[in-house]
Amino acid sequence: MRCPFCNQDNTRVVDSRPVEDTNSIRRRRLCDACGRRFTTYEKVETIPLTVIKKDQTREQYDRSKIQDGILRACYKRPISIEKIEEMMDSIEGEIFHTEEKEISSTKIGEIVMEHLRRLDAVAYVRFASVYREFKDVSTFMDELKKFMN
Ligand SMILES: [Zn+2]
């Protein structure tokens, strides 16, 4: 993104956070050429982000896919849709925190799990079991033990 002060194209994001109820990300940017800072508001759907899947294929970032996974994990749990959307916003805040144009699906999974872990233990384990494709029971038990401690 170009600097509004000196018009150079070497700015970088120093802080990034979701703006409530707008599906936008507020970004503080720093221009490496003139050292000035400025703020941009960017619609999440206009920020290009490619997700690298486990098999190394790539696809366009899609909020609804992540939300679907979370909704499935929260099925019949005492969690309101408002809570889920609120969590989704802060998850996206983290996903778009850096200005990387690509993110691995594993990294997204880790971010989602971290948020779910704080929200609801059952939803977390459900999500984790799908996301990490547990290969054996002991890995699954390790996950469960984290709650017991
Ligand atoms: Zn500048």
Side-chain angles (χ1 to χ4, degrees), residues 82-142:
E82 287 80 18
K83 251 293 170 265
I84 290 173
E85 274 169 7
E86 202 178 286
M87 185 178 70
M88 204 46 227
D89 286 344
S90 50
I91 287 170
E92 277 197 325
E94 277 187 46
I95 289 174
F96 288 94
H97 185 74
T98 60
E99 211 178 7
E100 299 294 325
K101 292 185 170 57
E102 295 188 320
I103 186 168
S104 68
S105 62
T106 313
K107 176 73 191 162
I108 292 179
E110 298 292 328
I111 294 171
V112 172
M113 282 191 283
E114 187 52 39
H115 284 265
L116 272 177
R117 195 169 60 80
R118 281 180 253 146
L119 186 72
D120 186 85
V122 173
Y124 166 77
V125 173
R126 279 180 187 159
F127 187 90
S129 63
V130 174
Y131 220 91
R132 285 188 174 149
E133 292 160 29
F134 289 121
K135 297 216 169 28
D136 55 75
V137 177
S138 70
T139 324
F140 190 76
M141 291 312 287
D142 286 344

Side-chain angles (χ1 to χ4, degrees), residues 8-68:
Q8 294 288 311
D9 196 16
N10 45 5
T11 62
R12 60 194 157 91
V13 176
V14 287
D15 185 44
S16 190
R17 60 192 60 199
V19 185
E20 252 175 77
D21 300 327
T22 59
N23 201 24
S24 306
I25 304 279
R26 175 187 179 277
R27 281 174 158 173
R28 282 296 283 165
R29 290 172 180 273
L30 171 67
C31 173
D32 282 330
C34 70
R36 283 166 134 145
R37 286 162 189 266
F38 60 102
T39 303
T40 54
Y41 290 88
E42 295 163 48
K43 282 273 173 210
V44 164
E45 60 268 25
T46 66
I47 304 173
L49 184 68
T50 302
V51 178
I52 307 166
K53 299 200 286 186
K54 278 183 182 164
D55 62 5
Q56 297 304 307
T57 58
R58 286 158 161 77
E59 65 181 22
Q60 190 64 33
Y61 169 78
D62 182 357
R63 175 183 170 118
S64 63
K65 267 194 182 175
I66 297 172
Q67 194 155 341
D68 283 353

